[in-house]
Amino acid sequence: MVIRPAVESDAEGFLRLTRRLDAETNLMMLEPGERTTSVAEQADRIRSINESSNQTILVAEEAGQLVGYIALLGGTFRRNRHSAYIVAGVLEAYTGRGLGRQLFTEGERWAREVGLHRLELTVMAHNHRAVVLYSKMGFRFEGTKRDSLKVDGEYVDEYYMAKLLE
């Protein structure tokens, strides 16, 4: 398993990964078929992120296939450039192997290297496996966003979690 920064030529594979995540779990933001990004648009997005000093996408690759990722999306204003919002996903077949921990470890290493101070994320309250991982990685609860999402016809709370890098 290799964890590395995404490059523009990963656009098609990255879209395949995110669309598969959309289809195999209801724990991601988008529902199956809702992601309409083209390969060219995804390549542009990866290029834009790579040109930013406080943003990155790290991908996990095995046998030429992308199987997980962590995106750290830094603030765009002077007052929030020190922080990054995290989005992450791992294909179901690769969960339970420590890949999430590896992605978060590499994401934090990168964040420290570029001088970020705050990492933040939201997680559906019923996603217990993710909540445990984030807590083990040093993220702390900051609040609950009640009825934040509607998943399978039911309202779902989200937790705000963050980690300060010293």
Side-chain angles (χ1 to χ4, degrees), residues 53-106:
S53 63
N54 68 342
Q55 298 190 54
T56 194
I57 300 173
L58 302 176
V59 292
E61 181 179 28
E62 183 174 82
Q65 299 295 312
L66 301 184
V67 299
Y69 77 99
I70 185 168
L72 291 90
L73 307 172
T76 57
F77 303 102
R78 282 181 285 215
R79 291 185 177 183
N80 71 351
R81 288 193 58 74
H82 68 283
S83 67
Y85 184 80
I86 294 177
V87 179
V90 173
L91 292 176
E92 186 64 33
Y94 292 85
T95 61
R97 299 185 191 182
L99 181 53
R101 180 187 49 73
Q102 289 176 304
L103 286 164
F104 270 79
T105 298
E106 286 302 306

Side-chain angles (χ1 to χ4, degrees), residues 95-133:
T95 61
R97 299 185 191 182
L99 181 53
R101 180 187 49 73
Q102 289 176 304
L103 286 164
F104 270 79
T105 298
E106 286 302 306
E108 182 177 329
R109 183 198 55 72
W110 176 87
R112 288 179 185 280
E113 190 174 283
V114 300
L116 293 179
H117 176 66
R118 177 183 167 87
L119 303 178
E120 56 192 31
L121 54 82
T122 56
V123 59
M124 292 181 203
H126 66 277
N127 189 351
H128 302 293
R129 188 163 45 183
V131 170
V132 168
L133 170 64

Side-chain angles (χ1 to χ4, degrees), residues 1 16 33 35 47 56 68 144 159:
M1 185 78 60
R16 191 177 315 113
R35 190 176 304 273
R47 179 176 41 258
T56 194
T144 302
Y159 295 137

